[in-house]
Amino acid sequence: MTPPKTAVSDIKDPSLADQGRARIEWALQEMPVLQGLMERFTRERPLKGVRMSGCLHITTETANLARVLAAGGADLVLCASNPLSTQDDVAAALVKYFEIPTYAIRGEDNQSYYRHITAALDHRPVLTMDDGADLVSEMHKQRTDLLVNMIGGTEETTTGVIRLRAMACAGALQFPVVAVNDAMTKHLFDNRYGTGQSTLDGIIRATNILLAGKVFTVVGYGWCGRGVAMRAKGHGAKVCITEVDPVCALEAAMDGYEVRTLLEAAQESDFIVTVTGNKHAVDKQHFKVMKNGCVVANAGHFNVEINIAALDALAVEKDRPRPSVDEYHLADGRRIRLLSEGRLINLAAAEGHPAAVMDMSFANQALCAAFMFNHAGSLENKVHCVPREIDQEVANLKLQAMGISIDRLTAEQQAYLTSWQEGT
Ligand SMILES: NC(=O)c1ccc[n+]([C@@H]2O[C@H](COP(=O)([O-])OP(=O)(O)OC[C@H]3O[C@@H](n4cnc5c(N)ncnc54)[C@H](O)[C@@H]3O)[C@@H](O)[C@H]2O)c1
């Protein structure tokens, strides 16, 4: 007899399932687009019998995406896409109430993290859903036997898309992937408003330090950086931006922010937050000049943005005054406070993005999974854009759910916009 799917999961505590289910239902109320898709997927079963593995942050919103995929007929397993982002009650509910095998324990070490990815790959998926490209990358490095049956994958975040494009560029990518992050209805809202609100939430929950009047430096003025800066400004902080891209720096300056080098900004900042997707954006030379008491946090995908080894090497002592704060004491008496070990602060110290933005990101994920399955064998092995129709559909569904109506082009306007003869 086949063992029940729930028997093979690896989660922290099954007794948390009721609490997890209540929070998942709470989040669903803010996800009207996914609710609509759940009904449609139940009716149409667009993923019937499709073996899928998802490597995603195990949060309430992800649980609702998983329910939609399962309603659509997918045979799904999940593992965590970050060791500190798992909500253990959600993992328990996924297993007990939604019968979705889940491999995720908050605080798991690196070995368990990769053991869980291996378990998700042992499911022998034909579709993958990644947040950071770890499933795709591990499959190409360790489990090439699975490549032959792969239909394709979808990718949630900027960093994952960068990794996948690098693979495609090197001719290494062996199946097509859709870059969900690049949908307008994803990065314009999730990266900007989602990361903006939840990063501030994480910093406040971790420190409970007043932001008003403080110097708050945002490293990287991309989609996430714009959101973090906007929300910090709303709290009354004096926001400073550091960039390496001249256009983004110019945009920040014209949005009214002070733009400086990080070496200059570090000397006066009370908070420094990285959102670059890059390695060692905050490095040894910055720690050396940082203001006493500076709070340093990261909201970028991987924990590489802050050079923690360099900070460790400079410190003479380290303690943990609050659960998500490590205070490093330097030889000259200064203290530097690192939040959540440099892992994405919004998921490690708060609950990640609010459900209302994940509603759009995950509607894109669900529709792109169905799109990928419908186009099995016909897409090139490269990183594909989200089809414009899906992006527009998600925007329309969200507007509808928000009770917002918009105007339509008249036939005259449509003709004008597609002609070139008419001038003044
Ligand atoms: N925390 C979350 O929940 C969450 C959500 C979405 C995306 N992300 C992650 O956040 C990161 C940023 O995503 P994005 O969509 O804003 O990317 P983006 O490409 O829009 O922006 C990144 C910006 O950082 C700048 N940058 C790169 N190196 C820098 C450096 N050394 N110093 C200063 N600026 C530098 C780039 O010029 C760019 O403008 C990625 O790792 C992404 O995966 C996290």
Side-chain angles (χ1 to χ4, degrees):
M1 200 179 84
T2 330
K5 281 184 183 181
T6 49
V8 294
S9 293
D10 191 14
I11 57 170
K12 185 167 185 188
D13 182 357
S15 75
L16 298 173
D18 286 357
Q19 177 190 312
R21 181 170 64 168
R23 292 203 315 111
I24 291 167
E25 295 297 347
W26 172 261
L28 188 63
Q29 293 178 49
E30 284 282 302
M31 305 181 94
V33 181
L34 270 198
Q35 284 177 33
L37 286 184
M38 186 119 61
E39 281 166 27
R40 195 201 296 178
F41 274 37
T42 304
R43 222 174 30 245
E44 297 173 4
R45 306 279 285 169
L47 295 167
K48 190 161 178 245
V50 178
R51 275 198 320 278
M52 286 188 72
S53 297
C55 180
L56 302 163
H57 299 298
I58 306 300
T59 62
T60 53
E61 295 79 17
T62 301
N64 285 318
L65 167 63
R67 291 168 74 184
V68 172
L69 299 172
D75 174 6
L76 173 72
V77 306
L78 290 174
C79 65
S81 61
N82 187 293
L84 278 190
S85 64
T86 298
Q87 297 168 2
D88 290 316
D89 57 345
V90 170
L94 277 165
V95 174
K96 178 168 176 185
Y97 290 114
F98 304 112
E99 296 198 358
I100 295 169
T102 301
Y103 306 90
I105 298 176
R106 186 182 174 87
E108 61 195 9
D109 61 19
N110 233 34
Q111 210 182 353
S112 307
Y113 178 76
Y114 281 101
R115 184 164 46 78
H116 288 158
I117 287 182
T118 303
L121 290 176
D122 285 344
H123 183 55
R124 306 189 66 77
V126 296
L127 277 186
T128 56
M129 195 170 274
D130 254 313
D131 187 334
D134 276 346
L135 271 184
V136 172
S137 156
E138 280 304 292
M139 192 186 286
H140 281 74
K141 286 191 283 195
Q142 314 284 353
R143 294 296 304 273
T144 49
D145 57 304
L146 301 176
L147 291 170
V148 63
N149 291 319
M150 276 298 294
I151 292 173
T154 58
E155 171 53 53
E156 172 77 7
T157 198
T158 316
T159 285
V161 173
I162 290 171
R163 293 176 87 191
L164 291 163
R165 292 221 160 94
M167 284 177 81
C169 202
L173 189 64
Q174 298 296 311
F175 53 81
V177 181
V178 175
V180 168
N181 181 71
D182 294 358
M184 301 286 244
T185 46
K186 199 281 182 181
H187 66 266
L188 282 176
F189 303 91
D190 168 317
N191 300 29
R192 183 163 44 170
Y193 303 113
T195 313
Q197 176 167 323
S198 59
T199 296
L200 271 288
D201 184 14
I203 292 170
I204 292 167
R205 288 197 207 193
T207 65
N208 198 24
I209 295 178
L210 183 76
L211 299 179
K214 300 280 166 50
V215 177
F216 191 107
T217 293
V218 181
V219 185
Y221 199 65
W223 290 108
C224 294
R226 291 178 184 109
V228 174
M230 185 198 299
R231 294 304 179 233
K233 191 174 175 181
H235 276 270
K238 290 179 244 171
V239 179
C240 175
I241 305 293
T242 74
E243 250 298 343
V244 293
D245 180 309
V247 176
C248 294
L250 200 55
E251 189 187 351
M254 295 215 185
D255 282 346
Y257 299 110
E258 192 168 343
V259 178
R260 314 175 82 175
T261 65
L262 185 53
L263 215 47
E264 289 166 348
Q267 301 172 40
E268 289 171 21
S269 297
D270 301 293
F271 295 87
I272 297 178
V273 181
T274 54
V275 258
T276 67
N278 206 350
K279 193 174 179 182
H280 296 173
V282 175
D283 214 338
K284 185 175 176 180
Q285 67 271 25
H286 307 119
F287 294 125
K288 280 188 163 174
V289 297
M290 246 172 228
K291 183 176 170 183
N292 180 30
C294 183
V295 171
V296 187
N298 168 51
H301 188 78
F302 284 121
N303 62 336
V304 297
E305 304 214 5
I306 300 163
N307 187 348
I308 300 172
L311 181 57
D312 259 321
L314 287 172
V316 289
E317 205 187 317
K318 176 176 153 190
D319 52 34
R320 182 163 283 189
R322 293 170 64 91
S324 302
V325 183
D326 284 323
E327 199 161 50
Y328 290 75
H329 299 251
L330 307 190
D332 59 12
R334 282 178 304 130
R335 286 164 307 156
I336 291 172
R337 292 132 171 196
L338 176 70
L339 304 191
S340 295
E341 300 165 24
R343 296 205 184 265
L344 346 94
I345 182 67
N346 59 328
L347 281 141
E351 293 170 63
H353 290 8
V357 279
M358 295 317 293
D359 191 27
M360 288 187 279
S361 307
F362 284 166
N364 275 295
Q365 282 284 13
L367 291 170
C368 285
F371 166 85
M372 197 50 110
F373 182 55
N374 277 339
H375 290 80
S378 67
L379 297 172
E380 244 183 279
N381 293 346
K382 64 174 197 180
V383 179
H384 295 263
C385 295
V386 171
R388 188 176 145 75
E389 310 76 66
I390 290 184
D391 220 348
Q392 297 273 305
E393 185 184 354
V394 173
N396 275 321
L397 290 171
K398 190 70 176 178
L399 282 171
Q400 232 172 55
M402 293 170 79
I404 298 172
S405 306
I406 59 169
D407 290 319
R408 283 175 187 279
L409 289 172
T410 61
E412 181 191 28
Q413 289 166 342
Q414 193 112 38
Y416 179 73
L417 291 175
T418 47
S419 73
W420 56 272
Q421 286 100 337
E422 218 179 309
T424 36

